[in-house]
Structures are given as structure tokens and as C-alpha cells.
Amino acid sequence: NAGVTQTPKFQVLKTGQSMTLQCAQDMNHNSMYWYRQDPGMGLRLIYYSASEGTTDKGEVPNGYNVSRLNKREFSLRLESAAPSQTSVYFCASQYNDQPQHFGDGTRLSIL
Amino acid sequence: AQKVTQAQTEISVVEKEDVTLDCVYETRDTTYYLFWYKQPPSGELVFLIRRNSFDEQNEISGRYSWNFQKSTSSFNFTITASQVVDSAVYFCALSDRGSTLGRLYFGRGTQLTVWP
């Protein structure tokens, strides 16, 4: 039982490049979330998906798109990466109102 | 609007000292959850506790204890007899129970360093 798996774990991009961060969960959870963590800022919600086929904006959605193609997977796409998107990205999943399970994070650097 | 404030940015203690991490929250909801997460140097987020807004009973788990007071909108976390392995960033978080079910609002975290 892997829980929440994020790929890749590390990535370096150049400004303007595109990138998709992958997240998959094997717990049959209905809700999934993408957060970013910046130094001194805690975690902030980018997008979330309450169920397969639905997505909603969180606190900081600008510059990102998401896809919830099936119940297991929730991807985050940067169409044109900017240095301000350098961050650690966490994916989480949740069953009803149980505590969220987090992946180990993706460290993304944009030069 | 939901807001979580962790006023202590960094705390340093010597092993075996007790330490309390403060958390103050703001919400208009009457039903909500409060959480504490630990982020060790390895970077993952470890769930520690969840508290329902209707349950103000304090909780103890080994060396960890939590004090929830709705009157002061606080949910403080105490580590008794701290150990080096407790060194981590600790996040307090709030979850509302409205239309955005499960959405977490995090504080900025408190970096705890325990010296041997």
C-alpha cells in the first residue's frame, strides 16, 4: 500500500518550460489536493478535486492547471514556468472528512 | 475568512525541557477541525492529531499533549521532556466544513530545534 505517490521528487526547469507533476493514490479516496510550500509561508492550496472529473481553484491557482482524469490520479501542470513557482509541491488525498494523507513532495526549481 | 497564526517562528530548547507551540485560529464556522502536522528534516508531512470543534477535551499521547480552548481560539501543542528527534517544523491547520469540504488552512509553522 503506497499511499500517495508523487513524481518526480526533484526537477529543475528553465523559465518558460512546461512541466506536469504527477500524483496518484491507491486508497480509493474521493478528494485530492495540490499545495505549495514556500519558506516561512506554510502550505497554500493551489487546486483541489472533490471527486473524479471535478476541480476547483484554491488560494493560489494562477499559473497552474490541473486534471483529475480518474479517481486515482490528479496532475498539476505548469504551462510556462516562472521563477516564482520555485517551491515544494505536495499532493494530498482524503476520504470524506478523514485527515488528509500527503505525498512526500516534489522539489521544483525554476531558473 | 479562515486564518491560522503561529506566532513563534523558531524555538530552541535543550533536551528534556518541555516546550509549548502556540496556535491561534480564526473562523466563522461553528463546525471545524483543527490539526497539527510535523515536518521533519526529511520533508514529509506527518499527521499528529485532529480535533473536532465540538470536543474541547484535552488530549495526551505519550510525550505529546494538546490544549484546545474555544474561548481563546487556541489549540496549543506541548512536548514534554523533548528529544532531539522532536526537531522539526510543526504546522497547525484548520479545516472548515463548508462547501469546500476538507480544505486545509495552514499556519506558517514553528521550527523547533532540540539540542542534546
Side-chain angles (χ1 to χ4, degrees):
Chain A
N1 188 345
V4 179
T5 303
Q6 292 184 234
T7 55
K9 295 189 185 306
F10 303 93
Q11 185 69 48
V12 179
L13 294 177
K14 294 181 179 179
T15 298
Q17 287 185 317
S18 61
M19 169 83 190
T20 299
L21 308 186
Q22 306 288 352
C23 175
Q25 51 92 10
D26 60 2
M27 297 172 283
N28 202 35
H29 287 175
N30 42 324
S31 301
M32 296 186 74
Y33 305 81
W34 276 106
Y35 295 88
R36 62 177 286 174
Q37 182 182 14
D38 302 299
M41 292 295 295
L43 277 76
R44 292 181 292 169
L45 183 65
I46 305 171
Y47 271 94
Y48 64 100
S49 171
S51 61
E52 180 181 347
T54 69
T55 61
D56 284 289
K57 294 179 180 179
E59 184 182 357
V60 288
N62 292 344
Y64 305 95
N65 288 302
V66 290
S67 294
R68 182 86 183 270
L69 297 178
N70 54 59
K71 196 170 187 178
R72 288 188 65 249
E73 297 170 299
F74 187 38
S75 61
L76 178 71
R77 183 161 178 84
L78 288 69
E79 290 291 352
S80 178
S84 61
Q85 294 176 304
T86 293
S87 189
V88 180
Y89 292 85
F90 286 96
C91 177
S93 70
Q94 181 182 32
Y95 178 72
N96 291 342
D97 66 347
Q98 296 302 305
Q100 293 180 20
H101 292 249
F102 284 85
D104 289 341
T106 295
R107 293 186 176 275
L108 182 61
S109 294
I110 299 160
L111 307 178
Chain B
Q2 325 290 6
K3 185 178 179 181
V4 176
T5 301
Q6 294 180 254
Q8 304 151 309
T9 305
E10 297 181 18
I11 300 176
S12 289
V13 298
V14 177
E15 221 173 8
K16 299 185 182 178
E17 286 186 21
D18 299 347
V19 58
T20 296
L21 309 182
D22 297 333
C23 174
V24 174
Y25 64 92
E26 298 175 29
T27 179
R28 293 178 182 170
D29 292 340
T30 56
T31 304
Y32 51 90
Y33 286 122
L34 293 164
F35 301 79
W36 277 95
Y37 284 88
K38 174 182 180 179
Q39 187 175 45
S42 50
E44 74 274 21
L45 284 162
V46 179
F47 166 76
L48 295 178
I49 190 172
R50 181 181 74 169
R51 232 36 203 154
N52 187 311
S53 56
F54 292 118
D55 183 2
E56 287 193 71
Q57 188 172 9
N58 291 332
E59 182 156 339
I60 298 174
S61 176
R63 296 185 296 107
Y64 294 171
S65 62
W66 291 269
N67 184 316
F68 176 28
Q69 293 193 342
K70 287 181 76 171
S71 61
T72 56
S73 297
S74 64
F75 185 44
N76 297 336
F77 173 30
T78 297
I79 302 175
T80 302
S82 59
Q83 300 176 1
V84 173
V85 293
D86 296 326
S87 296
V89 180
Y90 291 86
F91 291 99
C92 181
L94 168 71
S95 173
D96 61 39
R97 299 296 309 281
S99 59
T100 53
L101 182 68
R103 174 175 174 166
L104 284 172
Y105 298 84
F106 283 83
R108 296 191 174 198
T110 298
Q111 170 71 62
L112 173 65
T113 302
V114 182
W115 298 98

